[in-house]
Amino acid sequence: MNIHAQADSLPGTGQQQAAPDLTLKPTRETYDRLQQAYEHFNKALFDGTLPNALITLQRRKGTFGYFAGRKFSNDAGQPADEIALNPQGFADRDLPDILATLVHEMVHLWQHHHGTPGRGRYHNREWAEKMKAIGLHPTDNGAEDGNETGERVGHMIVPGGAFEAAAKKLAAKDFTLSWKEVRLPPQQPGEGAAQPADKSGKRVRYCCPDCDLKAWAKHDAKLVCGDHMVAMTPGA
């Protein structure tokens, strides 16, 4: 009787390929946790008045997250808002900072349903006052004296504020976001990276491995993406 092995040979190597660990479920482990956080902050900071949103992971350049109203609908025609979080910032930021971005976007969702949003991406006074009410201080420069309204406004966590207290309660439940994006070092020559064949001084295109930034330079140029501080690699 033939018995199928759990590991298959890698083509052309004769080596055994390890069986996948099917106990790992990155999608469930990530999105179930994000839903848990959303429900926790909805109850703690918004009295449970916010509808559930569809939380997505999006790599939008230059932002930790964004909100889009009525971005999705199901087969029955029921709408859902979108809250997007940028996973590129997960590994380099503390958990409270990531959760503060989620709540920042929840304030946009609150305003979409219960207030009057500013035009386009403008953060207006109503939004700023709600942020302060839940323990996030709006600022466009990362300091207390920054502008609280405008096109690009971030936030600071208020020590002892409502958000900080709610985040601590969530952390006490052993809450974590266990999956983080791996920041791989740039490939070196001989490691499979596309290398320019022409060394005559002709310009080649360089690309940032973390975003869509592209630049043209001579074949031996050393370029760095200013947004992500990683070396740009030559490619086709």
Side-chain angles (χ1 to χ4, degrees):
M1 178 176 66
N2 292 327
I3 299 178
H4 292 289
Q6 291 186 346
D8 297 326
S9 295
L10 292 172
T13 67
Q15 299 177 352
Q16 294 295 307
Q17 181 179 8
D21 183 356
L22 298 182
T23 64
L24 294 177
K25 298 180 180 179
T27 300
R28 176 180 295 177
E29 292 164 10
T30 298
Y31 284 94
D32 282 0
R33 288 290 192 172
L34 291 174
Q35 180 65 32
Q36 177 189 355
Y38 184 95
E39 293 176 2
H40 173 81
F41 289 117
N42 188 14
K43 180 179 180 180
L45 303 177
F46 300 92
D47 297 323
T49 61
L50 304 186
N52 282 314
L54 201 165
I55 302 174
T56 65
L57 299 180
Q58 304 281 354
R59 294 178 181 84
R60 176 177 286 187
K61 182 179 177 181
T63 182
F64 288 132
Y66 65 84
F67 165 79
R70 300 176 65 92
K71 191 68 173 180
F72 292 90
S73 66
N74 62 13
D75 291 340
Q78 297 169 304
D81 306 312
E82 178 186 19
I83 288 179
L85 301 176
N86 190 338
Q88 290 180 326
F90 283 14
D92 301 330
R93 303 169 70 207
D94 293 335
L95 180 61
D97 291 331
I98 299 172
L99 295 176
T101 295
L102 171 65
V103 174
H104 175 128
E105 304 309 330
M106 291 175 70
V107 175
H108 284 295
L109 189 149
W110 166 85
Q111 190 176 40
H112 178 76
H113 289 276
H114 302 289
T116 305
R119 290 191 298 175
R121 297 185 301 174
Y122 189 81
H123 300 72
N124 62 17
R125 176 52 53 186
E126 180 186 60
W127 173 88
E129 293 301 323
K130 184 65 174 180
M131 287 281 285
K132 290 190 287 186
I134 63 170
L136 294 176
H137 185 85
T139 173
D140 68 345
N141 65 2
E144 292 185 4
D145 61 354
N147 292 323
E148 298 179 356
T149 61
E151 291 291 333
R152 298 181 65 86
V153 181
H155 57 261
M156 299 169 59
I157 298 174
V158 178
F163 168 80
E164 185 179 69
K168 288 180 177 179
K169 287 183 179 180
L170 183 61
K173 300 177 182 179
D174 295 326
F175 178 90
T176 186
L177 293 174
S178 56
W179 291 92
K180 310 290 196 306
E181 181 173 286
V182 177
R183 303 299 296 272
L184 296 175
Q187 291 177 311
Q188 300 299 320
E191 294 183 355
Q195 297 296 312
D198 188 350
K199 297 185 179 182
S200 64
K202 181 179 179 181
R203 295 194 308 162
V204 296
R205 187 174 69 172
Y206 289 74
C207 303
C208 172
D210 288 347
C211 67
D212 59 358
L213 179 66
K214 299 176 178 62
W216 289 87
K218 60 182 182 178
H219 76 276
D220 57 351
K222 305 296 183 183
L223 303 184
V224 174
C225 173
D227 287 329
H228 300 98
M229 299 308 295
V230 296
M232 299 177 66
T233 57

